[in-house]
Amino acid sequence: MTTVYLVTMALLAVGAAAALYRLGRGPTTLDRAVSLDVITSLAMCGAGAYAAVYGDYSDVPILLVLALLGFVGTVSLAHFFPEGGK
């Protein structure tokens, strides 16, 4: 493992911890939805970093599925909460 990979994973973990905090403490439903979207994006970044460092690109379909689920989930939640989600 390289130092850059370890630093990247540590920063992704800090971002995930912050998103989990917002997921638990979010005052509105939209705050919780955005934190779930951030967690999905961080998982994608982690899988992409793993693929780049180790040259194992077998998880590219997983990245595509996560991107699709994140997009569809965000759009559907925005559809159900048009007035601010309070």
Side-chain angles (χ1 to χ4, degrees), residues 5 19 21 23 28-30 33 37 39-40 43 51-52 55 58 60 68-70 77 79 85:
Y5 178 69
Y21 175 76
L23 181 65
T28 66
T29 306
L30 288 180
D37 197 30
I39 290 170
T40 304
S58 62
V60 172
L68 181 64
L69 287 176
L77 283 173
H79 174 63

Side-chain angles (χ1 to χ4, degrees), residues 17 36 42 49 80:
L36 283 175
L42 290 172
F80 288 120

